[in-house]
Amino acid sequence: MSVSLPYSETVRVNQIGAGLSRRLEPDADARKRIARALDLQGLEDFVVEIEVKPTPSTSEWTMKGRVSAHAVQTCGLTLEPLPVDVDRRFSIQLVEAAPQETDEIEVTLDEEDADLIEDGKIDLGQYAVEQLVLSLDPFPRKPGAEFVQPEEPAEISPFAALKALKPQDDQG
C-alpha cells in the first residue's frame, strides 16, 4: 500500500555530488493538495529554498533551507479564516539507511538521530511540507477570540427532560 503525498520532489543521493541547491515552488494544484492535506483554507504562496551537502568526514548529509508561505488557517474558536505568514529556517541531518540483516528492529528515542535516506532517494517536497507543518500553529486562534464556557443546566437528570415534556394542566 503506497501513501499518496500532497507534494513530492525526489532527488537521488548520487545526484548530490559536492552539493545541490533547489528552489521549490509548487503550482496551484499542488498547493491545493497541500492545503487539503493540512486542513488549511488556502495556501497562496509556498516557496522553499533547499541546499543539500555531504557532511565532511562522515557518511551523512546536511539539508539546510528556508520555507516561506502565506497560508489561511481556520480559527479554532470562531471558525473564521486566519491568515498566517511563515518564514522559517531549518537544518536536518540525513544518513543513508544501512542494510539490516536481522528481523529485529532497534528503536531509539534520541532526538539527535539523523533522518534515514531510504532507497537512495531524498524527497525534498516531503521535507518542505513537513517544515511548513512545523511552522503552523496546531491550535490557531484569532487575536481577541476567547472561549466562553456555557452555563450548566440547573437539572441534569433525565427526569428533568421528561418533566419538561409533561403538559402543565395535567395534575396526574
Side-chain angles (χ1 to χ4, degrees), residues 127-139:
Y127 279 104
V129 172
E130 178 181 283
Q131 293 304 312
L132 175 62
V133 169
L134 292 173
S135 303
L136 296 173
D137 185 354
F139 305 104

Side-chain angles (χ1 to χ4, degrees), residues 17-33:
L20 174 82
S21 293
R22 291 272 170 93
R23 179 181 173 95
L24 305 178
E25 291 185 72
D27 61 12
D29 290 337
R31 287 194 314 269
K32 284 180 186 175
R33 286 192 307 271

